[in-house]
Amino acid sequence: MLSVILPSYNEEQMIAVAARTVTGILDEAGIAHELLFVDDGSRDKTWAEIRKASETNPHVVGVHFSRNFGKEAAMFAGLEQAKGDCCVVIDCDLQHPPEKIVEMYRLWEEGYEVVEGIKEDRGEESGFHKFASLSFYRLISKATGLDMSSSSDFKLLDRKVVDTLNKMPERIVFFRALSFWVGFRRAEVSYRVQERTAGVSKWSTRSLIKYAINNIGSFSSAPLHLITLLGVLMLVTAVVFGVVALVQKITGTALGGFTTVILLLLFASSVIMISLGIIGYYIARIYEELKGRPRYIISELCGRDAE
Ligand code: UDP
Ligand code: MG
């Protein structure tokens, strides 16, 4: 059986359409499946829609979070709830073309354990968004040592991979990179990002920046090394200024050195502040992980228990 995981947050208009479309495609291809809708604490009628879908469509299973925990948590909840021999994660706004699931499934039947959905293009995006996501992918690719520029959350994972991911103890997770990191036999399927037909994108610029920082922090301690680099640069500057100051002192021209002092002071204190900030950020992460809180809280289930 194939488990299709659909994280949904305020997607009331999309649930019924998504359930109908995906079931239609998979039934036609003769693939046994379940549709796992994970309602990420939506504030609209998403959960009611999922319940309704589960009454009419026997494939539908619903998971309801007690509040919004984010897409990463929703995907991991889906992986933990899934009963299938393989799982596909797909956006429930149908921006990932569901026909591709069949293609992925066939590759899985051939023995591939991870089938990545690769974006052919990034769809419609504004200038700033494009620039920001490009820089993010460049950074994260460097941090993970893997080319992540066209990867997405749309992918198929074999049961073995799902079990491996479920066993990972870390709380702050980045699904896309983690599924690269685990390895396994991989294949790729390319797809075109579709236009959103209903509702709006759930990502604000602020949440995207947070997402980027979190994910770089998950895979790299480069920002900490940056501090050392800044320190060395400071030292070099200090030596140069020191020599200059000494020469001026000896030649008797040491006057009005206030500018230098003030500049140095400002420079040094800003470097120290940045460094403290970065260290603080990593300490905060250690604290977060140490608390060991669950990634999400499920308040309600539907579909499976009702059987
Ligand atoms: N999503 C979620 N929790 C969130 C934000 C988004 O489960 O906090 C889901 C959303 O319902 C959708 C998918 O993640 O199925 C992708 O979100 P969206 O379409 O808003 O992102 P975009 O396609 O614009 O990148
Ligand atoms: Mg979308």
Side-chain angles (χ1 to χ4, degrees):
M1 186 179 68
L2 165 71
S3 296
V4 183
I5 296 161
L6 303 105
S8 4
Y9 178 53
N10 295 346
E11 304 276 8
E12 54 183 9
Q13 289 152 298
M14 292 309 299
I15 301 296
V17 187
R20 204 172 334 116
T21 319
V22 178
T23 294
I25 289 167
L26 293 179
D27 275 345
E28 200 178 312
I31 300 171
H33 62 280
E34 64 174 354
L35 301 184
L36 242 162
F37 283 95
V38 184
D39 174 13
D40 188 7
S42 302
R43 269 173 306 225
D44 62 1
K45 294 198 205 68
T46 302
W47 181 237
E49 284 293 325
I50 295 174
R51 294 197 81 112
K52 213 157 81 192
S54 77
E55 278 155 23
T56 51
N57 184 339
H59 298 291
V60 172
V61 176
V63 176
H64 181 57
F65 281 1
S66 61
R67 65 166 169 88
N68 182 244
F69 281 93
K71 190 185 174 190
E72 298 290 314
M75 289 187 289
F76 275 89
L79 292 178
E80 267 167 40
Q81 292 289 325
K83 296 248 161 79
D85 306 307
C86 61
C87 299
V88 166
V89 176
I90 184 169
D91 281 3
C92 88
D93 55 12
L94 298 183
Q95 281 188 293
H96 299 152
E99 314 80 68
K100 292 282 174 183
I101 298 177
V102 181
E103 211 175 299
M104 289 177 158
Y105 190 80
R106 300 292 174 228
L107 282 167
W108 174 75
E109 285 180 324
E110 282 171 30
Y112 289 99
E113 289 155 326
V114 178
V115 185
E116 301 277 346
I118 300 288
K119 280 178 255 178
E120 269 171 31
D121 59 301
R122 297 197 50 91
E124 290 286 298
E125 262 174 338
S126 67
F128 172 73
H129 245 76
K130 210 168 218 148
F131 169 74
S133 65
L134 213 77
S135 336
F136 166 64
Y137 280 113
R138 208 162 287 154
L139 272 172
I140 191 86
S141 298
K142 247 206 147 85
T144 53
L146 308 154
D147 179 22
M148 306 260 318
S149 55
S150 48
S151 78
S152 65
D153 290 329
F154 184 28
K155 50 187 91 216
L156 179 143
L157 305 173
D158 181 72
R159 174 49 50 193
K160 264 186 275 177
V161 186
V162 174
D163 288 342
T164 310
L165 289 177
N166 285 345
K167 268 192 236 121
M168 300 220 167
E170 54 192 285
R171 300 289 111 195
I172 310 169
V173 280
F174 182 29
F175 177 66
R176 214 173 285 184
L178 218 50
S179 67
F180 257 102
W181 182 86
V182 292
F184 291 98
R185 283 192 67 197
R186 21 191 4 106
E188 289 177 1
V189 164
S190 64
Y191 70 92
R192 296 187 81 82
V193 178
Q194 309 294 306
E195 287 290 314
R196 212 177 220 288
T197 47
V200 288
S201 176
K202 306 299 177 299
W203 295 96
S204 60
T205 306
R206 192 167 155 256
S207 65
L208 277 174
I209 292 172
K210 206 173 132 202
Y211 181 75
I213 294 177
N214 247 335
N215 295 332
I216 290 166
S218 286
F219 271 87
S220 154
S221 43
L224 283 173
H225 302 314
L226 199 74
I227 296 178
T228 327
L229 199 73
L230 281 176
V232 171
L233 278 179
M234 261 313 286
L235 189 71
V236 172
T237 326
V239 167
V240 170
F241 274 94
V243 169
V244 171
L246 268 179
V247 168
Q248 282 180 338
K249 182 94 190 152
I250 292 164
T251 55
T253 49
L255 246 187
F258 283 120
T259 342
T260 337
V261 172
I262 287 167
L263 279 178
L264 265 180
L265 202 72
L266 284 175
F267 189 54
S269 47
S270 54
V271 169
I272 292 170
M273 299 273 231
I274 295 170
S275 314
L276 282 178
I278 298 175
I279 294 170
Y281 166 72
Y282 276 91
I283 292 178
R285 288 182 67 94
I286 296 171
Y287 179 55
E288 281 302 315
E289 294 286 355
L290 209 66
K291 280 191 283 191
R293 293 215 181 124
R295 285 180 202 144
Y296 52 82
I297 299 164
I298 295 174
S299 66
E300 252 179 290
L301 287 164
C302 76
R304 195 169 274 149
D305 307 28
E307 277 161 22

PDB file of all heavy atoms in Angstrom, residues 7-9 11 40 68 70-71 74 91-93 95 196 200-203, ligand 1:
ATOM      1  N   PRO A   7       0.167  17.519   4.008  1.00  0.00           N
ATOM      2  CA  PRO A   7       0.104  18.526   5.066  1.00  0.00           C
ATOM      3  C   PRO A   7      -0.852  19.636   4.630  1.00  0.00           C
ATOM      4  O   PRO A   7      -0.782  20.089   3.500  1.00  0.00           O
ATOM      5  CB  PRO A   7       1.542  19.046   5.162  1.00  0.00           C
ATOM      6  CG  PRO A   7       2.188  18.689   3.874  1.00  0.00           C
ATOM      7  CD  PRO A   7       1.464  17.495   3.335  1.00  0.00           C
ATOM      8  N   SER A   8      -1.758  20.016   5.500  1.00  0.00           N
ATOM      9  CA  SER A   8      -2.712  21.059   5.109  1.00  0.00           C
ATOM     10  C   SER A   8      -2.906  22.076   6.210  1.00  0.00           C
ATOM     11  O   SER A   8      -3.133  21.723   7.362  1.00  0.00           O
ATOM     12  CB  SER A   8      -4.062  20.458   4.746  1.00  0.00           C
ATOM     13  OG  SER A   8      -4.085  19.075   4.958  1.00  0.00           O
ATOM     14  N   TYR A   9      -2.796  23.317   5.854  1.00  0.00           N
ATOM     15  CA  TYR A   9      -2.987  24.403   6.800  1.00  0.00           C
ATOM     16  C   TYR A   9      -3.878  25.454   6.143  1.00  0.00           C
ATOM     17  O   TYR A   9      -3.486  26.041   5.139  1.00  0.00           O
ATOM     18  CB  TYR A   9      -1.628  24.988   7.186  1.00  0.00           C
ATOM     19  CG  TYR A   9      -1.702  26.150   8.130  1.00  0.00           C
ATOM     20  CD1 TYR A   9      -2.404  26.051   9.324  1.00  0.00           C
ATOM     21  CD2 TYR A   9      -1.066  27.348   7.829  1.00  0.00           C
ATOM     22  CE1 TYR A   9      -2.479  27.121  10.183  1.00  0.00           C
ATOM     23  CE2 TYR A   9      -1.125  28.419   8.693  1.00  0.00           C
ATOM     24  CZ  TYR A   9      -1.836  28.304   9.865  1.00  0.00           C
ATOM     25  OH  TYR A   9      -1.916  29.363  10.720  1.00  0.00           O
ATOM     26  N   GLU A  11      -6.625  25.084   4.321  1.00  0.00           N
ATOM     27  CA  GLU A  11      -6.823  24.704   2.925  1.00  0.00           C
ATOM     28  C   GLU A  11      -8.245  24.206   2.685  1.00  0.00           C
ATOM     29  O   GLU A  11      -8.455  23.276   1.924  1.00  0.00           O
ATOM     30  CB  GLU A  11      -5.825  23.601   2.525  1.00  0.00           C
ATOM     31  CG  GLU A  11      -4.364  23.927   2.732  1.00  0.00           C
ATOM     32  CD  GLU A  11      -3.756  24.715   1.584  1.00  0.00           C
ATOM     33  OE1 GLU A  11      -4.506  25.148   0.686  1.00  0.00           O
ATOM     34  OE2 GLU A  11      -2.533  24.902   1.606  1.00  0.00           O
ATOM     35  N   ASP A  40      -2.700  20.921  10.087  1.00  0.00           N
ATOM     36  CA  ASP A  40      -1.691  21.579  10.921  1.00  0.00           C
ATOM     37  C   ASP A  40      -2.332  22.709  11.743  1.00  0.00           C
ATOM     38  O   ASP A  40      -1.913  23.855  11.658  1.00  0.00           O
ATOM     39  CB  ASP A  40      -0.592  22.105   9.986  1.00  0.00           C
ATOM     40  CG  ASP A  40       0.602  22.643  10.732  1.00  0.00           C
ATOM     41  OD1 ASP A  40       0.650  22.500  11.955  1.00  0.00           O
ATOM     42  OD2 ASP A  40       1.485  23.222  10.070  1.00  0.00           O
ATOM     43  N   ASN A  68      -1.005  25.096  15.279  1.00  0.00           N
ATOM     44  CA  ASN A  68      -0.125  25.094  14.126  1.00  0.00           C
ATOM     45  C   ASN A  68       1.317  24.779  14.555  1.00  0.00           C
ATOM     46  O   ASN A  68       1.906  25.509  15.357  1.00  0.00           O
ATOM     47  CB  ASN A  68      -0.195  26.456  13.424  1.00  0.00           C
ATOM     48  CG  ASN A  68       0.674  26.509  12.179  1.00  0.00           C
ATOM     49  OD1 ASN A  68       1.633  27.270  12.116  1.00  0.00           O
ATOM     50  ND2 ASN A  68       0.370  25.693  11.204  1.00  0.00           N
ATOM     51  N   GLY A  70       3.644  23.824  12.072  1.00  0.00           N
ATOM     52  CA  GLY A  70       4.491  24.013  10.892  1.00  0.00           C
ATOM     53  C   GLY A  70       4.489  22.797   9.988  1.00  0.00           C
ATOM     54  O   GLY A  70       4.191  21.683  10.401  1.00  0.00           O
ATOM     55  N   LYS A  71       4.860  23.041   8.736  1.00  0.00           N
ATOM     56  CA  LYS A  71       4.788  21.989   7.724  1.00  0.00           C
ATOM     57  C   LYS A  71       5.725  20.817   8.026  1.00  0.00           C
ATOM     58  O   LYS A  71       5.386  19.665   7.798  1.00  0.00           O
ATOM     59  CB  LYS A  71       5.113  22.596   6.360  1.00  0.00           C
ATOM     60  CG  LYS A  71       4.822  21.658   5.223  1.00  0.00           C
ATOM     61  CD  LYS A  71       5.255  22.235   3.898  1.00  0.00           C
ATOM     62  CE  LYS A  71       5.076  21.205   2.804  1.00  0.00           C
ATOM     63  NZ  LYS A  71       5.686  21.611   1.545  1.00  0.00           N
ATOM     64  N   ALA A  74       4.091  18.604  10.406  1.00  0.00           N
ATOM     65  CA  ALA A  74       2.964  17.925   9.764  1.00  0.00           C
ATOM     66  C   ALA A  74       3.457  16.755   8.919  1.00  0.00           C
ATOM     67  O   ALA A  74       2.880  15.663   8.947  1.00  0.00           O
ATOM     68  CB  ALA A  74       2.183  18.915   8.904  1.00  0.00           C
ATOM     69  N   ASP A  91       2.066  18.465  -1.469  1.00  0.00           N
ATOM     70  CA  ASP A  91       1.288  19.610  -0.981  1.00  0.00           C
ATOM     71  C   ASP A  91      -0.175  19.399  -1.318  1.00  0.00           C
ATOM     72  O   ASP A  91      -0.495  18.937  -2.404  1.00  0.00           O
ATOM     73  CB  ASP A  91       1.760  20.908  -1.660  1.00  0.00           C
ATOM     74  CG  ASP A  91       3.030  21.437  -1.028  1.00  0.00           C
ATOM     75  OD1 ASP A  91       3.552  20.767  -0.132  1.00  0.00           O
ATOM     76  OD2 ASP A  91       3.484  22.512  -1.455  1.00  0.00           O
ATOM     77  N   CYS A  92      -1.060  19.768  -0.396  1.00  0.00           N
ATOM     78  CA  CYS A  92      -2.468  19.513  -0.695  1.00  0.00           C
ATOM     79  C   CYS A  92      -3.069  20.634  -1.532  1.00  0.00           C
ATOM     80  O   CYS A  92      -4.236  20.584  -1.894  1.00  0.00           O
ATOM     81  CB  CYS A  92      -3.258  19.237   0.564  1.00  0.00           C
ATOM     82  SG  CYS A  92      -3.891  20.674   1.334  1.00  0.00           S
ATOM     83  N   ASP A  93      -2.280  21.657  -1.884  1.00  0.00           N
ATOM     84  CA  ASP A  93      -2.806  22.685  -2.792  1.00  0.00           C
ATOM     85  C   ASP A  93      -2.638  22.262  -4.259  1.00  0.00           C
ATOM     86  O   ASP A  93      -2.913  23.031  -5.167  1.00  0.00           O
ATOM     87  CB  ASP A  93      -2.119  24.036  -2.541  1.00  0.00           C
ATOM     88  CG  ASP A  93      -0.609  23.960  -2.644  1.00  0.00           C
ATOM     89  OD1 ASP A  93      -0.095  22.939  -3.118  1.00  0.00           O
ATOM     90  OD2 ASP A  93       0.065  24.931  -2.254  1.00  0.00           O
ATOM     91  N   GLN A  95      -0.081  21.942  -6.025  1.00  0.00           N
ATOM     92  CA  GLN A  95       0.966  22.600  -6.808  1.00  0.00           C
ATOM     93  C   GLN A  95       1.995  21.578  -7.282  1.00  0.00           C
ATOM     94  O   GLN A  95       2.723  21.808  -8.222  1.00  0.00           O
ATOM     95  CB  GLN A  95       1.635  23.710  -5.995  1.00  0.00           C
ATOM     96  CG  GLN A  95       0.803  24.974  -5.964  1.00  0.00           C
ATOM     97  CD  GLN A  95       1.546  26.115  -5.324  1.00  0.00           C
ATOM     98  OE1 GLN A  95       1.832  26.092  -4.135  1.00  0.00           O
ATOM     99  NE2 GLN A  95       1.872  27.119  -6.105  1.00  0.00           N
ATOM    100  N   ARG A 196      -1.316  27.846  -7.966  1.00  0.00           N
ATOM    101  CA  ARG A 196      -2.272  27.577  -6.913  1.00  0.00           C
ATOM    102  C   ARG A 196      -3.670  27.902  -7.436  1.00  0.00           C
ATOM    103  O   ARG A 196      -3.876  28.977  -8.007  1.00  0.00           O
ATOM    104  CB  ARG A 196      -1.952  28.495  -5.737  1.00  0.00           C
ATOM    105  CG  ARG A 196      -2.265  27.906  -4.399  1.00  0.00           C
ATOM    106  CD  ARG A 196      -1.837  28.896  -3.330  1.00  0.00           C
ATOM    107  NE  ARG A 196      -1.212  28.215  -2.201  1.00  0.00           N
ATOM    108  CZ  ARG A 196      -1.903  27.488  -1.335  1.00  0.00           C
ATOM    109  NH1 ARG A 196      -3.183  27.324  -1.486  1.00  0.00           N
ATOM    110  NH2 ARG A 196      -1.285  26.907  -0.332  1.00  0.00           N
ATOM    111  N   VAL A 200      -4.311  30.914  -0.440  1.00  0.00           N
ATOM    112  CA  VAL A 200      -3.073  31.683  -0.617  1.00  0.00           C
ATOM    113  C   VAL A 200      -1.895  30.922  -0.042  1.00  0.00           C
ATOM    114  O   VAL A 200      -2.066  30.013   0.756  1.00  0.00           O
ATOM    115  CB  VAL A 200      -3.164  33.052   0.098  1.00  0.00           C
ATOM    116  CG1 VAL A 200      -4.111  33.971  -0.641  1.00  0.00           C
ATOM    117  CG2 VAL A 200      -3.587  32.874   1.546  1.00  0.00           C
ATOM    118  N   SER A 201      -0.686  31.296  -0.453  1.00  0.00           N
ATOM    119  CA  SER A 201       0.516  30.680   0.093  1.00  0.00           C
ATOM    120  C   SER A 201       0.588  30.955   1.590  1.00  0.00           C
ATOM    121  O   SER A 201       0.251  32.041   2.050  1.00  0.00           O
ATOM    122  CB  SER A 201       1.751  31.237  -0.600  1.00  0.00           C
ATOM    123  OG  SER A 201       2.899  30.692   0.000  1.00  0.00           O
ATOM    124  N   LYS A 202       1.022  29.967   2.359  1.00  0.00           N
ATOM    125  CA  LYS A 202       1.023  30.106   3.808  1.00  0.00           C
ATOM    126  C   LYS A 202       2.354  30.639   4.330  1.00  0.00           C
ATOM    127  O   LYS A 202       2.575  30.709   5.518  1.00  0.00           O
ATOM    128  CB  LYS A 202       0.727  28.750   4.465  1.00  0.00           C
ATOM    129  CG  LYS A 202      -0.542  28.082   3.968  1.00  0.00           C
ATOM    130  CD  LYS A 202      -1.767  28.925   4.243  1.00  0.00           C
ATOM    131  CE  LYS A 202      -3.055  28.335   3.698  1.00  0.00           C
ATOM    132  NZ  LYS A 202      -3.083  28.169   2.254  1.00  0.00           N
ATOM    133  N   TRP A 203       3.244  30.981   3.422  1.00  0.00           N
ATOM    134  CA  TRP A 203       4.560  31.432   3.853  1.00  0.00           C
ATOM    135  C   TRP A 203       4.670  32.938   3.770  1.00  0.00           C
ATOM    136  O   TRP A 203       4.531  33.505   2.701  1.00  0.00           O
ATOM    137  CB  TRP A 203       5.648  30.813   2.976  1.00  0.00           C
ATOM    138  CG  TRP A 203       5.724  29.336   3.116  1.00  0.00           C
ATOM    139  CD1 TRP A 203       5.134  28.413   2.304  1.00  0.00           C
ATOM    140  CD2 TRP A 203       6.426  28.604   4.115  1.00  0.00           C
ATOM    141  NE1 TRP A 203       5.424  27.150   2.750  1.00  0.00           N
ATOM    142  CE2 TRP A 203       6.210  27.236   3.859  1.00  0.00           C
ATOM    143  CE3 TRP A 203       7.207  28.975   5.210  1.00  0.00           C
ATOM    144  CZ2 TRP A 203       6.759  26.238   4.652  1.00  0.00           C
ATOM    145  CZ3 TRP A 203       7.748  27.975   5.992  1.00  0.00           C
ATOM    146  CH2 TRP A 203       7.519  26.632   5.704  1.00  0.00           C
TER     147      TRP A 203
HETATM  148  N1  UDP B   1       1.460  24.005   5.283  1.00  0.00           N
HETATM  149  C1  UDP B   1       1.337  23.392   6.533  1.00  0.00           C
HETATM  150  N2  UDP B   1       1.650  24.120   7.659  1.00  0.00           N
HETATM  151  C2  UDP B   1       2.086  25.413   7.599  1.00  0.00           C
HETATM  152  C3  UDP B   1       2.232  26.005   6.325  1.00  0.00           C
HETATM  153  C4  UDP B   1       1.911  25.267   5.191  1.00  0.00           C
HETATM  154  O1  UDP B   1       0.944  22.239   6.643  1.00  0.00           O
HETATM  155  O2  UDP B   1       2.338  26.000   8.664  1.00  0.00           O
HETATM  156  C5  UDP B   1       1.107  23.220   4.063  1.00  0.00           C
HETATM  157  C6  UDP B   1       0.095  23.872   3.138  1.00  0.00           C
HETATM  158  O3  UDP B   1      -1.226  23.577   3.516  1.00  0.00           O
HETATM  159  C7  UDP B   1       0.433  23.281   1.785  1.00  0.00           C
HETATM  160  C8  UDP B   1       1.930  23.076   1.881  1.00  0.00           C
HETATM  161  O4  UDP B   1       2.248  23.085   3.275  1.00  0.00           O
HETATM  162  O5  UDP B   1      -0.179  22.031   1.562  1.00  0.00           O
HETATM  163  C9  UDP B   1       2.695  24.137   1.138  1.00  0.00           C
HETATM  164  O6  UDP B   1       2.302  25.403   1.585  1.00  0.00           O
HETATM  165  P1  UDP B   1       2.075  26.614   0.592  1.00  0.00           P
HETATM  166  O7  UDP B   1       1.323  26.157  -0.617  1.00  0.00           O
HETATM  167  O8  UDP B   1       1.481  27.717   1.369  1.00  0.00           O
HETATM  168  O9  UDP B   1       3.557  26.956   0.192  1.00  0.00           O
HETATM  169  P2  UDP B   1       4.109  27.349  -1.267  1.00  0.00           P
HETATM  170  O10 UDP B   1       3.522  26.361  -2.227  1.00  0.00           O
HETATM  171  O11 UDP B   1       3.631  28.724  -1.494  1.00  0.00           O
HETATM  172  O12 UDP B   1       5.574  27.215  -1.115  1.00  0.00           O
END
